[in-house]
Amino acid sequence: MKAFRGPKVRLWRWRRNPLKRRADVLEAWVVVGVWLLTVLTGVLCGLAADRSLEHTLARQRATSRPAVARLVAPVPGAPRVQSEVVPGDRIWAKVRWSAADGSTRTGEVRVEPGSPAGTRIIVWTDPKGHLVSRPVDASESAFRAGLIGVFVGVSTAAVPFVGGMVLRDRMERRRLDRWETEWARWGPQWRRMV
């Protein structure tokens, strides 16, 4: 099939050609517009998501404070040897700590099985003294924000890209319908000439 097409000519839709139709020029501009919109949408939305998540994680790092908590009661289970400890083997237990304002707070955190009462546990709290998860460090937050930014950018860039494909498909169908109409009109006359 490629042997019959001839050499590929770049930017043929903008060159002077008596066979060029308005639909060809319009399709060329649609392709350029869709590509520009796709790239701009993807990049801008990806950067916005990246910065937003980076800002949120930085705010969490700035407001979270470590506090020393103590186990209220012994944790059931046998103490594990360090080589046997699996992160999923932790048990929920009640702990007590002092908030920044001096009040005593209690809550539940996951601890090693078999820990005795009074065991020292580091917990993270917000400015009001409530328990929060450990904040991520700067490098991990940059990685997470970058990953989410790429995902959001690609996802949002797909919208104008798919919209452009649908528009080009409609333009192609319209062009084929016009060709069919023209062929129906001129085809019978052309056969008489042969």
Side-chain angles (χ1 to χ4, degrees):
M1 181 88 171
K2 230 176 187 185
F4 297 110
R5 288 188 183 168
K8 186 167 181 138
V9 179
R10 301 236 183 251
L11 303 173
W12 68 271
R13 293 181 186 193
W14 283 281
R15 292 184 179 187
R16 289 180 176 244
N17 184 344
L19 299 176
K20 180 172 62 173
R21 299 162 302 207
R22 284 182 38 204
D24 296 331
V25 175
L26 182 62
E27 184 178 353
W29 283 112
V30 164
V31 169
V32 169
V34 165
W35 276 108
L36 283 174
L37 190 61
T38 298
V39 170
L40 284 175
T41 302
V43 168
L44 293 178
C45 289
L47 287 175
D50 175 69
R51 287 189 180 137
S52 174
L53 186 59
E54 185 76 42
H55 177 70
T56 301
L57 293 175
R59 190 169 6 107
Q60 285 178 354
R61 274 194 310 276
T63 59
S64 298
R65 301 277 182 249
V68 176
R70 304 267 179 198
L71 281 175
V72 174
V75 179
R80 305 228 195 281
V81 181
Q82 188 65 21
S83 63
E84 294 178 359
V85 173
V86 179
D89 286 347
R90 294 176 164 248
I91 297 173
W92 288 100
K94 195 171 194 177
V95 294
R96 181 177 294 129
W97 71 95
S98 295
D101 61 1
S103 63
T104 302
R105 304 284 177 104
T106 59
E108 288 192 357
V109 296
R110 292 176 70 86
V111 296
E112 298 291 329
S115 299
T119 301
R120 186 173 173 251
I121 308 284
I122 302 295
V123 295
W124 289 87
T125 61
D126 64 6
K128 295 180 181 178
H130 299 111
L131 286 177
V132 295
S133 59
R134 182 185 67 82
V136 297
D137 60 2
S139 63
E140 187 178 347
S141 85
F143 175 73
R144 283 185 185 181
L147 196 62
I148 295 297
V150 167
F151 177 71
V152 168
V154 168
S155 298
T156 56
V159 173
F161 182 74
V162 170
M165 287 176 52
V166 168
L167 181 60
R168 283 191 68 199
D169 185 51
R170 284 188 173 183
M171 291 172 69
E172 183 71 25
R173 285 184 189 165
R174 187 174 179 197
R175 183 171 40 242
L176 290 174
D177 289 343
R178 285 184 178 172
W179 282 353
E180 187 176 339
T181 303
E182 289 292 319
W183 183 253
R185 191 170 98 192
W186 295 103
Q189 292 177 7
W190 182 65
R191 284 189 208 140
R192 280 190 258 152
M193 291 184 212
V194 178

